[in-house]
């Protein structure tokens, strides 16, 4: 049964991730006095991209360039087997939290390697920025994982979902909310893509199916991070979990896209400085958790 | 003061009135005169090369200086002997482009020019053919020549990032070659004039004086009306035409309306480049109201088509006046709300503060104009210094900031926006009765006229030599971006790549206005595959 439930979870993610993106676009549009696209727009965009042929740039390292979108996509999908979405069933083992963090890291890494191997100047600047942002956010994430592990006394999602209500767990989840915002490349942190500056940076040379896969994995990654956060809050074996989960995604979407609509873009040095400050805060939260509050 | 400088240098005064001094300067004294004028506080506005062979003179160069202290334009005329004129670029760097343009278009050589390269003509244009000479016809196509681009040296550790020719920031085809070390810009080269439209040639050969205003308006899609006005003023100056006062007030109202919509457009673009798309959407929503206002007053949302030589074509009646004030009440509040909110956003300010600094001294040498100059502490405004239209009767402030960074340019435009509201309200209130067009004039033969307006981006200078009948002999429009662009590489040096778009946009560039003249038909010029064509670029 577990396997069937997991398949349902995966199918839900694959179907709904682009819809969440359209939903956010719609909210942003309303905040900007615009009509906004239909709720299925992202799906139409993806379908169009998958129909288009792909072009490989002349100067690229072809094997890396072609492989990168598949690795990114698979890495994110694999993480879905460990983090439950719609139904509370998943593969669990000791240290699966670490594996999810690594899988997300692998997705970013392959994305960056693919961009680097395209040989485009804009892509290289973009991936440089992506790497520096990733590094700065990694330290923060490490502290958060540490805090959560201390609170739940485990590194397996089995025992971590949901977190007990304590000062440190609330603070840790708030920080996680921030990290998710940064990791999902939203304004003001979409520095790597920055359309008016470096024309989508790492994505610039990608086209057709490859571009579609990369964008699809971005949407999937956002939904995965949402689910991760919600799982820490929602009760596990309870029929209200389903409603809570769907409602939670909508609430998170509204919060995040409202923030996005009212921000300008940071420069990379400003973003890194901010992440350093947040890391210091996370260190304090970790100490609070160790004390036992 | 200025007249003494000119007389002391053996200049022959050809015209001397309250607006313009035109002097013929001997070639050996040209450079020293120009230097003295610059030291006396005149900055270089533009230069015009003219083929005056039909007048029995030969080739000549007119250097136009804006002397704010005396509220006059000073024109130095130099006649080429054996096609040569000494260059004044070594003493005034602002003359660089104007002289190179004259080299390309008229074929005058400037002795000791530090950078005698092509500026406007494309690389595959044959040597010795100069489009603005009188024997070259507007529909002539020169043969294509083979041309090989020179190989560039690569510096280790420096990456070359092209911003353009098609880049989402520029919106028009131009190239800034940025040399980047990591994120820092260590070098910047500008290469422009990709969209030369041949307007001057067309006007001289094909059009009559009352058709050219409509051509002049098409120089720019955003600040077209001010070009239209500057041209009309230049012809009115040359022919000494008295324009009815009511027409002058109507021109003022429309000029300021244009500034409002242009500044709001700039705010929107700047917000978009800083990633703040909500601000972009809201400013453009408000801008829509000004376009509607323009439609109410002129019949067109943009490219008003209002001016003729001697006046305007449509009147503003009481009903329209009331409607304008009604809409103003609402838009003024909305504009203030959106811009104030944006000015309070810390991360927007932190992206603009201290970025892209242009020092006052270098700005003066290049001759930057408009908000760029005013943000660098140069107190210049054509509306105040050389009053035209009805600006002499109206009251307004000219904001000046010392910092010279992007934020200062933002603030200058911010204050100007609200000054424009105030000017329009005054002008509507004081609108005098009477005619709106005087048609009782005759165009003199070979008279020189200068028309200058303060476009949203800075000083617009139009230079006209009339031919008599209903034709012009030479017309040279100079858009403000022409003077501001050479300052951009200075602003870019040492900055972060992420700031390059907002720095380039901070001068409110209008590339096509600058590149005002040659159609390059890809199909006819190059019969080759796209790959070959791209390789050739």
């Amino acid at each position: 049964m577990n396997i069937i439930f997991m398949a349902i979870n995966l199918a839900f993610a694959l179907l709904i991730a682009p819809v969440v993106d359209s939903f956010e676009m719609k909210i942003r549009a309303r905040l900007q006095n615009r009509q906004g696209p239909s709720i299925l727009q992202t799906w139409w965009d993806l379908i169009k991209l998958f129909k288009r042929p792909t072009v490989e740039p002349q100067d690229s390292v072809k094997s890396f360039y072609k492989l990168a979108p598949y690795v990114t996509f698979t890495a994110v999908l694999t993480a879905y087997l460990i983090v439950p979405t719609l139904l509370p069933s998943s593969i669990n083992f000791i240290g699966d939290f670490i594996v999810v963090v690594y899988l997300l890291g692998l997705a970013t890494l392959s994305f960056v390697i693919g961009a680097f191997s395209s040989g485009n100047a804009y892509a290289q600047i973009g991936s440089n920025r992506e790497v520096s942002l990733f590094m700065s956010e990694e330290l923060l994430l490490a502290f958060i994982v540490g805090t959560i592990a201390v609170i739940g006394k485990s590194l397996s999602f089995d025992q971590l979902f949901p977190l007990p209500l304590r000062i440190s767990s609330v603070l840790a989840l708030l920080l996680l909310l921030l990290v998710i915002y940064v990791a999902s490349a939203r304004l003001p942190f979409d520095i790597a893509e920055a359309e008016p500056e470096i024309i989508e940076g790492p994505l610039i040379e990608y086209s057709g199916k490859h571009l579609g896969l990369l964008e699809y994995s971005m949407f999937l990654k956002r939904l995965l991070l949402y689910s991760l956060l919600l799982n820490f809050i929602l009760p596990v074996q309870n029929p209200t979990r389903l409603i809570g989960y769907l409602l939670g995604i909508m609430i998170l979407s509204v919060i995040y896209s409202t923030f996005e609509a009212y921000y300008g873009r940071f420069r990379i040095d400003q973003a890194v400085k901010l992440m350093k400050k947040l890391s210091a805060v996370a260190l304090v939260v970790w100490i609070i958790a160790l004390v036992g509050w | 003061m200025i007249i003494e400088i000119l007389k002391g240098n053996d200049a022959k005064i050809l015209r001397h009135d309250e607006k313009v001094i035109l002097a013929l300067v001997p070639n050996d004294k040209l450079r020293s005169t120009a230097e003295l004028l610059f030291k006396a506080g005149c900055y270089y506005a533009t230069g015009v090369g003219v083929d005056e062979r039909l007048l029995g003179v030969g080739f000549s160069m007119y250097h136009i200086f804006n002397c704010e202290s005396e509220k006059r334009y000073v024109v130095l005329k130099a006649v080429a002997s054996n096609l040569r004129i000494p260059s004044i670029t070594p003493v005034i760097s602002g003359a660089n482009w104007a002289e190179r343009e004259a080299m390309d278009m008229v074929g005058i050589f400037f002795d000791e020019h530090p950078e005698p390269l092509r500026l406007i003509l494309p690389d595959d244009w044959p040597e010795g053919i100069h489009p603005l000479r009188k024997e070259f016809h507007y529909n002539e196509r020169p043969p294509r020549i083979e041309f090989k681009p020179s190989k560039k040296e690569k510096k280790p550790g420096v990456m070359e990032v092209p911003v353009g020719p098609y880049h989402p920031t520029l919106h028009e085809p131009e190239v800034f070659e940025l040399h980047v070390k990591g994120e820092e810009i260590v070098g910047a080269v500008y290469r422009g004039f990709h969209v030369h439209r041949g307007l001057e040639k067309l006007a001289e050969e094909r059009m009559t004086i009352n058709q050219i205003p409509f051509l002049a308006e098409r120089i720019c899609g955003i600040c077209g009306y001010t070009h239209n006005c500057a041209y009309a003023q230049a012809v009115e100056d040359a022919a000494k035409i008295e324009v009815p006062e009511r027409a002058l007030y109507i021109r003022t109202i429309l000029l300021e309306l244009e500034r409002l919509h242009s500044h709001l457009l700039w705010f929107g673009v700047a917000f978009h480049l800083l990633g703040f798309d909500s601000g972009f959407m809201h400013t453009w929503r408000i801008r829509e109201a000004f376009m509607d206002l323009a439609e109410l007053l002129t019949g067109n949302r943009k490219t008003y088509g209002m001016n003729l030589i001697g006046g305007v074509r449509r009147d503003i009646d009481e009903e329209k006046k009331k409607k304008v004030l009604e809409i103003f009440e609402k838009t003024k509040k909305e504009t203030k709300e959106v811009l104030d909110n944006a000015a309070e956003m810390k991360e927007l300010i932190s992206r603009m503060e201290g970025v892209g600094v242009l020092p006052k001294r270098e700005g003066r040498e290049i001759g930057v104009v408009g908000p760029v100059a005013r943000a660098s502490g140069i107190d210049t405004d054509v509306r105040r210094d050389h009053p035209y239209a009805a600006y002499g009767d109206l009251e307004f402030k000219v904001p000046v900031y010392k910092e010279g960074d992007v934020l200062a340019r933002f603030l200058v435009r911010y204050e100007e926006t609200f000054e424009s509201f105030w000017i329009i309200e005054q002008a509507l209130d004081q609108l005098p009765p009477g005619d709106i067009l005087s048609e009782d004039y005759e165009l003199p033969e070979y008279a020189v006229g200068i028309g200058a307006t303060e476009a949203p981006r800075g000083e617009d200078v139009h230079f006209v030599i009339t031919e008599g009948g209903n034709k012009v002999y030479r017309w040279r429009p100079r858009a403000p971006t022409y003077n501001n662009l050479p300052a951009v590489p200075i602003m870019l040096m040492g900055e972060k790549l992420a700031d390059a778009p907002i720095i380039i946009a901070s001068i409110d560039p209008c590339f096509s206005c600058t590149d005002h003249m040659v159609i390059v038909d890809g199909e006819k010029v190059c019969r080759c595959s796209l790959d070959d064509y791209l390789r050739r670029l």
Side-chain angles (χ1 to χ4, degrees), chain A residues 32-33 122 129 187 196-197 261 263 265 267 270, chain B residues 162 167 169 183 274-275 278 285 347 350-351 499:
Chain A
Q32 294 171 348
N33 268 28
Y122 291 116
R129 292 179 179 186
L187 276 170
E197 291 163 20
Y263 267 102
R265 188 173 297 108
R267 218 166 32 211
Q270 293 171 333
Chain B
H167 191 280
T169 317
E183 279 263 333
L274 292 172
S278 300
R285 171 177 58 83
E347 74 279 357
S350 71
R351 285 289 307 267
D499 288 329

PDB file of all heavy atoms in Angstrom, chain A residues 32-33 122 129 187 196-197 261 263 265 267 270, chain B residues 162 167 169 183 274-275 278 285 347 350-351 499:
ATOM      1  N   GLN A  32      -0.392  44.139  -8.619  1.00  0.00           N
ATOM      2  CA  GLN A  32       0.175  45.144  -9.517  1.00  0.00           C
ATOM      3  C   GLN A  32      -0.885  45.742 -10.434  1.00  0.00           C
ATOM      4  O   GLN A  32      -0.558  46.283 -11.486  1.00  0.00           O
ATOM      5  CB  GLN A  32       1.283  44.517 -10.372  1.00  0.00           C
ATOM      6  CG  GLN A  32       2.478  44.081  -9.559  1.00  0.00           C
ATOM      7  CD  GLN A  32       3.470  43.284 -10.364  1.00  0.00           C
ATOM      8  OE1 GLN A  32       3.174  42.863 -11.481  1.00  0.00           O
ATOM      9  NE2 GLN A  32       4.645  43.079  -9.820  1.00  0.00           N
ATOM     10  N   ASN A  33      -2.145  45.602 -10.056  1.00  0.00           N
ATOM     11  CA  ASN A  33      -3.223  46.154 -10.868  1.00  0.00           C
ATOM     12  C   ASN A  33      -3.327  45.501 -12.235  1.00  0.00           C
ATOM     13  O   ASN A  33      -3.630  46.168 -13.217  1.00  0.00           O
ATOM     14  CB  ASN A  33      -3.020  47.648 -11.104  1.00  0.00           C
ATOM     15  CG  ASN A  33      -3.710  48.452 -10.060  1.00  0.00           C
ATOM     16  OD1 ASN A  33      -3.871  47.977  -8.950  1.00  0.00           O
ATOM     17  ND2 ASN A  33      -4.131  49.635 -10.412  1.00  0.00           N
ATOM     18  N   TYR A 122      27.167  35.288 -19.825  1.00  0.00           N
ATOM     19  CA  TYR A 122      26.083  35.598 -18.890  1.00  0.00           C
ATOM     20  C   TYR A 122      25.794  34.409 -17.973  1.00  0.00           C
ATOM     21  O   TYR A 122      25.574  34.570 -16.780  1.00  0.00           O
ATOM     22  CB  TYR A 122      24.805  35.961 -19.631  1.00  0.00           C
ATOM     23  CG  TYR A 122      24.869  37.271 -20.361  1.00  0.00           C
ATOM     24  CD1 TYR A 122      24.781  37.324 -21.731  1.00  0.00           C
ATOM     25  CD2 TYR A 122      25.011  38.460 -19.657  1.00  0.00           C
ATOM     26  CE1 TYR A 122      24.826  38.529 -22.410  1.00  0.00           C
ATOM     27  CE2 TYR A 122      25.061  39.668 -20.312  1.00  0.00           C
ATOM     28  CZ  TYR A 122      24.967  39.705 -21.697  1.00  0.00           C
ATOM     29  OH  TYR A 122      25.012  40.882 -22.351  1.00  0.00           O
ATOM     30  N   ARG A 129      27.028  33.675  -9.281  1.00  0.00           N
ATOM     31  CA  ARG A 129      26.154  34.251  -8.255  1.00  0.00           C
ATOM     32  C   ARG A 129      25.375  33.150  -7.550  1.00  0.00           C
ATOM     33  O   ARG A 129      25.246  33.173  -6.329  1.00  0.00           O
ATOM     34  CB  ARG A 129      25.159  35.207  -8.915  1.00  0.00           C
ATOM     35  CG  ARG A 129      25.813  36.437  -9.483  1.00  0.00           C
ATOM     36  CD  ARG A 129      24.760  37.287 -10.127  1.00  0.00           C
ATOM     37  NE  ARG A 129      25.324  38.503 -10.681  1.00  0.00           N
ATOM     38  CZ  ARG A 129      24.582  39.470 -11.198  1.00  0.00           C
ATOM     39  NH1 ARG A 129      23.279  39.349 -11.228  1.00  0.00           N
ATOM     40  NH2 ARG A 129      25.133  40.555 -11.688  1.00  0.00           N
ATOM     41  N   LEU A 187      12.370  37.165  -5.809  1.00  0.00           N
ATOM     42  CA  LEU A 187      12.837  38.509  -5.523  1.00  0.00           C
ATOM     43  C   LEU A 187      12.836  38.725  -4.014  1.00  0.00           C
ATOM     44  O   LEU A 187      11.901  38.276  -3.365  1.00  0.00           O
ATOM     45  CB  LEU A 187      11.871  39.534  -6.142  1.00  0.00           C
ATOM     46  CG  LEU A 187      12.087  39.857  -7.604  1.00  0.00           C
ATOM     47  CD1 LEU A 187      10.929  40.678  -8.095  1.00  0.00           C
ATOM     48  CD2 LEU A 187      13.375  40.576  -7.812  1.00  0.00           C
ATOM     49  N   PRO A 196      16.883  41.646 -16.232  1.00  0.00           N
ATOM     50  CA  PRO A 196      17.384  42.865 -16.860  1.00  0.00           C
ATOM     51  C   PRO A 196      18.895  42.984 -16.831  1.00  0.00           C
ATOM     52  O   PRO A 196      19.456  43.793 -17.545  1.00  0.00           O
ATOM     53  CB  PRO A 196      16.759  43.993 -16.034  1.00  0.00           C
ATOM     54  CG  PRO A 196      15.903  43.378 -15.037  1.00  0.00           C
ATOM     55  CD  PRO A 196      16.155  41.926 -14.995  1.00  0.00           C
ATOM     56  N   GLU A 197      19.572  42.208 -15.973  1.00  0.00           N
ATOM     57  CA  GLU A 197      21.019  42.349 -15.875  1.00  0.00           C
ATOM     58  C   GLU A 197      21.735  41.338 -16.750  1.00  0.00           C
ATOM     59  O   GLU A 197      22.505  41.698 -17.632  1.00  0.00           O
ATOM     60  CB  GLU A 197      21.468  42.158 -14.419  1.00  0.00           C
ATOM     61  CG  GLU A 197      21.026  43.276 -13.513  1.00  0.00           C
ATOM     62  CD  GLU A 197      21.108  42.890 -12.060  1.00  0.00           C
ATOM     63  OE1 GLU A 197      21.835  41.934 -11.738  1.00  0.00           O
ATOM     64  OE2 GLU A 197      20.426  43.542 -11.253  1.00  0.00           O
ATOM     65  N   ALA A 261       6.183  40.694  -4.573  1.00  0.00           N
ATOM     66  CA  ALA A 261       5.684  41.839  -5.340  1.00  0.00           C
ATOM     67  C   ALA A 261       6.203  43.153  -4.786  1.00  0.00           C
ATOM     68  O   ALA A 261       6.244  44.150  -5.490  1.00  0.00           O
ATOM     69  CB  ALA A 261       4.164  41.834  -5.327  1.00  0.00           C
ATOM     70  N   TYR A 263       9.270  43.861  -3.458  1.00  0.00           N
ATOM     71  CA  TYR A 263      10.703  43.960  -3.274  1.00  0.00           C
ATOM     72  C   TYR A 263      11.438  44.216  -4.576  1.00  0.00           C
ATOM     73  O   TYR A 263      11.020  43.753  -5.632  1.00  0.00           O
ATOM     74  CB  TYR A 263      11.255  42.673  -2.634  1.00  0.00           C
ATOM     75  CG  TYR A 263      11.305  42.790  -1.143  1.00  0.00           C
ATOM     76  CD1 TYR A 263      10.354  42.198  -0.334  1.00  0.00           C
ATOM     77  CD2 TYR A 263      12.314  43.540  -0.551  1.00  0.00           C
ATOM     78  CE1 TYR A 263      10.396  42.330   1.028  1.00  0.00           C
ATOM     79  CE2 TYR A 263      12.358  43.669   0.823  1.00  0.00           C
ATOM     80  CZ  TYR A 263      11.404  43.076   1.605  1.00  0.00           C
ATOM     81  OH  TYR A 263      11.452  43.219   2.951  1.00  0.00           O
ATOM     82  N   ARG A 265      15.394  43.936  -6.428  1.00  0.00           N
ATOM     83  CA  ARG A 265      16.421  42.886  -6.400  1.00  0.00           C
ATOM     84  C   ARG A 265      17.645  43.334  -5.612  1.00  0.00           C
ATOM     85  O   ARG A 265      18.088  44.467  -5.726  1.00  0.00           O
ATOM     86  CB  ARG A 265      16.817  42.538  -7.839  1.00  0.00           C
ATOM     87  CG  ARG A 265      17.731  41.350  -7.947  1.00  0.00           C
ATOM     88  CD  ARG A 265      17.938  40.958  -9.397  1.00  0.00           C
ATOM     89  NE  ARG A 265      16.707  40.539 -10.011  1.00  0.00           N
ATOM     90  CZ  ARG A 265      16.037  41.237 -10.901  1.00  0.00           C
ATOM     91  NH1 ARG A 265      16.499  42.369 -11.333  1.00  0.00           N
ATOM     92  NH2 ARG A 265      14.916  40.777 -11.400  1.00  0.00           N
ATOM     93  N   ARG A 267      21.735  43.138  -4.704  1.00  0.00           N
ATOM     94  CA  ARG A 267      22.978  42.800  -5.374  1.00  0.00           C
ATOM     95  C   ARG A 267      23.533  41.601  -4.619  1.00  0.00           C
ATOM     96  O   ARG A 267      23.223  41.411  -3.448  1.00  0.00           O
ATOM     97  CB  ARG A 267      23.923  43.990  -5.267  1.00  0.00           C
ATOM     98  CG  ARG A 267      24.736  44.247  -6.474  1.00  0.00           C
ATOM     99  CD  ARG A 267      25.370  45.599  -6.441  1.00  0.00           C
ATOM    100  NE  ARG A 267      25.696  46.027  -5.090  1.00  0.00           N
ATOM    101  CZ  ARG A 267      25.686  47.288  -4.711  1.00  0.00           C
ATOM    102  NH1 ARG A 267      25.357  48.219  -5.569  1.00  0.00           N
ATOM    103  NH2 ARG A 267      26.015  47.641  -3.493  1.00  0.00           N
ATOM    104  N   GLN A 270      25.071  42.215  -1.201  1.00  0.00           N
ATOM    105  CA  GLN A 270      24.086  42.556  -0.169  1.00  0.00           C
ATOM    106  C   GLN A 270      23.388  41.306   0.345  1.00  0.00           C
ATOM    107  O   GLN A 270      23.182  41.149   1.554  1.00  0.00           O
ATOM    108  CB  GLN A 270      23.037  43.516  -0.747  1.00  0.00           C
ATOM    109  CG  GLN A 270      23.596  44.878  -1.091  1.00  0.00           C
ATOM    110  CD  GLN A 270      22.611  45.728  -1.864  1.00  0.00           C
ATOM    111  OE1 GLN A 270      21.740  45.216  -2.574  1.00  0.00           O
ATOM    112  NE2 GLN A 270      22.742  47.036  -1.754  1.00  0.00           N
TER     113      GLN A 270
ATOM    114  N   PRO B 162      29.169  41.594 -23.392  1.00  0.00           N
ATOM    115  CA  PRO B 162      28.489  42.601 -24.201  1.00  0.00           C
ATOM    116  C   PRO B 162      27.106  42.924 -23.645  1.00  0.00           C
ATOM    117  O   PRO B 162      26.337  42.014 -23.359  1.00  0.00           O
ATOM    118  CB  PRO B 162      28.382  41.907 -25.565  1.00  0.00           C
ATOM    119  CG  PRO B 162      28.389  40.458 -25.261  1.00  0.00           C
ATOM    120  CD  PRO B 162      29.088  40.252 -23.957  1.00  0.00           C
ATOM    121  N   HIS B 167      19.637  43.567 -25.924  1.00  0.00           N
ATOM    122  CA  HIS B 167      19.711  43.250 -24.506  1.00  0.00           C
ATOM    123  C   HIS B 167      18.444  43.792 -23.856  1.00  0.00           C
ATOM    124  O   HIS B 167      18.004  44.879 -24.206  1.00  0.00           O
ATOM    125  CB  HIS B 167      20.956  43.921 -23.916  1.00  0.00           C
ATOM    126  CG  HIS B 167      21.284  43.467 -22.532  1.00  0.00           C
ATOM    127  ND1 HIS B 167      20.626  43.961 -21.442  1.00  0.00           N
ATOM    128  CD2 HIS B 167      22.181  42.572 -22.061  1.00  0.00           C
ATOM    129  CE1 HIS B 167      21.122  43.380 -20.352  1.00  0.00           C
ATOM    130  NE2 HIS B 167      22.062  42.525 -20.698  1.00  0.00           N
ATOM    131  N   THR B 169      17.868  45.275 -21.290  1.00  0.00           N
ATOM    132  CA  THR B 169      17.980  46.571 -20.616  1.00  0.00           C
ATOM    133  C   THR B 169      17.907  47.728 -21.580  1.00  0.00           C
ATOM    134  O   THR B 169      17.486  48.810 -21.229  1.00  0.00           O
ATOM    135  CB  THR B 169      19.342  46.656 -19.912  1.00  0.00           C
ATOM    136  OG1 THR B 169      19.580  45.434 -19.271  1.00  0.00           O
ATOM    137  CG2 THR B 169      19.368  47.767 -18.922  1.00  0.00           C
ATOM    138  N   GLU B 183      32.886  40.344 -10.584  1.00  0.00           N
ATOM    139  CA  GLU B 183      31.687  41.165 -10.782  1.00  0.00           C
ATOM    140  C   GLU B 183      32.051  42.611 -11.061  1.00  0.00           C
ATOM    141  O   GLU B 183      31.176  43.432 -11.336  1.00  0.00           O
ATOM    142  CB  GLU B 183      30.784  41.092  -9.541  1.00  0.00           C
ATOM    143  CG  GLU B 183      29.909  39.860  -9.473  1.00  0.00           C
ATOM    144  CD  GLU B 183      28.485  40.103 -10.001  1.00  0.00           C
ATOM    145  OE1 GLU B 183      28.004  41.228  -9.941  1.00  0.00           O
ATOM    146  OE2 GLU B 183      27.878  39.135 -10.483  1.00  0.00           O
ATOM    147  N   LEU B 274      15.606  47.470 -11.328  1.00  0.00           N
ATOM    148  CA  LEU B 274      15.984  47.138  -9.961  1.00  0.00           C
ATOM    149  C   LEU B 274      15.177  45.952  -9.450  1.00  0.00           C
ATOM    150  O   LEU B 274      15.255  45.607  -8.280  1.00  0.00           O
ATOM    151  CB  LEU B 274      15.765  48.345  -9.055  1.00  0.00           C
ATOM    152  CG  LEU B 274      16.696  49.515  -9.320  1.00  0.00           C
ATOM    153  CD1 LEU B 274      16.291  50.723  -8.514  1.00  0.00           C
ATOM    154  CD2 LEU B 274      18.128  49.139  -8.987  1.00  0.00           C
ATOM    155  N   GLY B 275      14.373  45.353 -10.321  1.00  0.00           N
ATOM    156  CA  GLY B 275      13.619  44.170  -9.937  1.00  0.00           C
ATOM    157  C   GLY B 275      12.302  44.489  -9.257  1.00  0.00           C
ATOM    158  O   GLY B 275      11.582  43.592  -8.856  1.00  0.00           O
ATOM    159  N   SER B 278       6.402  45.824  -9.269  1.00  0.00           N
ATOM    160  CA  SER B 278       5.133  46.437  -8.868  1.00  0.00           C
ATOM    161  C   SER B 278       5.184  47.946  -9.072  1.00  0.00           C
ATOM    162  O   SER B 278       4.222  48.551  -9.547  1.00  0.00           O
ATOM    163  CB  SER B 278       4.841  46.136  -7.409  1.00  0.00           C
ATOM    164  OG  SER B 278       4.754  44.752  -7.244  1.00  0.00           O
ATOM    165  N   ARG B 285       0.755  52.793 -14.931  1.00  0.00           N
ATOM    166  CA  ARG B 285      -0.705  52.955 -14.866  1.00  0.00           C
ATOM    167  C   ARG B 285      -1.042  54.437 -14.741  1.00  0.00           C
ATOM    168  O   ARG B 285      -1.939  54.941 -15.424  1.00  0.00           O
ATOM    169  CB  ARG B 285      -1.251  52.190 -13.659  1.00  0.00           C
ATOM    170  CG  ARG B 285      -2.701  52.452 -13.345  1.00  0.00           C
ATOM    171  CD  ARG B 285      -3.159  51.596 -12.185  1.00  0.00           C
ATOM    172  NE  ARG B 285      -2.375  51.820 -10.978  1.00  0.00           N
ATOM    173  CZ  ARG B 285      -2.607  52.826 -10.126  1.00  0.00           C
ATOM    174  NH1 ARG B 285      -3.586  53.670 -10.335  1.00  0.00           N
ATOM    175  NH2 ARG B 285      -1.853  52.962  -9.055  1.00  0.00           N
ATOM    176  N   GLU B 347      15.834  48.886   0.230  1.00  0.00           N
ATOM    177  CA  GLU B 347      16.699  48.104  -0.664  1.00  0.00           C
ATOM    178  C   GLU B 347      16.790  48.746  -2.049  1.00  0.00           C
ATOM    179  O   GLU B 347      17.791  48.595  -2.731  1.00  0.00           O
ATOM    180  CB  GLU B 347      16.258  46.633  -0.742  1.00  0.00           C
ATOM    181  CG  GLU B 347      15.018  46.352  -1.530  1.00  0.00           C
ATOM    182  CD  GLU B 347      13.776  46.631  -0.720  1.00  0.00           C
ATOM    183  OE1 GLU B 347      13.903  46.979   0.469  1.00  0.00           O
ATOM    184  OE2 GLU B 347      12.690  46.530  -1.282  1.00  0.00           O
ATOM    185  N   SER B 350      19.394  51.509  -1.472  1.00  0.00           N
ATOM    186  CA  SER B 350      20.753  50.987  -1.318  1.00  0.00           C
ATOM    187  C   SER B 350      21.332  50.549  -2.665  1.00  0.00           C
ATOM    188  O   SER B 350      22.539  50.489  -2.837  1.00  0.00           O
ATOM    189  CB  SER B 350      20.768  49.817  -0.334  1.00  0.00           C
ATOM    190  OG  SER B 350      20.151  48.696  -0.920  1.00  0.00           O
ATOM    191  N   ARG B 351      20.457  50.233  -3.626  1.00  0.00           N
ATOM    192  CA  ARG B 351      20.970  49.879  -4.957  1.00  0.00           C
ATOM    193  C   ARG B 351      21.365  51.123  -5.763  1.00  0.00           C
ATOM    194  O   ARG B 351      22.061  51.023  -6.774  1.00  0.00           O
ATOM    195  CB  ARG B 351      19.901  49.105  -5.758  1.00  0.00           C
ATOM    196  CG  ARG B 351      19.668  47.676  -5.356  1.00  0.00           C
ATOM    197  CD  ARG B 351      20.801  46.754  -5.720  1.00  0.00           C
ATOM    198  NE  ARG B 351      21.201  46.813  -7.106  1.00  0.00           N
ATOM    199  CZ  ARG B 351      20.735  46.024  -8.046  1.00  0.00           C
ATOM    200  NH1 ARG B 351      19.850  45.125  -7.768  1.00  0.00           N
ATOM    201  NH2 ARG B 351      21.170  46.133  -9.281  1.00  0.00           N
ATOM    202  N   ASP B 499      25.074  46.434 -11.315  1.00  0.00           N
ATOM    203  CA  ASP B 499      24.600  47.813 -11.336  1.00  0.00           C
ATOM    204  C   ASP B 499      24.648  48.424 -12.727  1.00  0.00           C
ATOM    205  O   ASP B 499      24.141  49.527 -12.928  1.00  0.00           O
ATOM    206  CB  ASP B 499      25.443  48.667 -10.383  1.00  0.00           C
ATOM    207  CG  ASP B 499      25.156  48.354  -8.936  1.00  0.00           C
ATOM    208  OD1 ASP B 499      23.999  47.984  -8.662  1.00  0.00           O
ATOM    209  OD2 ASP B 499      26.051  48.459  -8.103  1.00  0.00           O
TER     210      ASP B 499
END
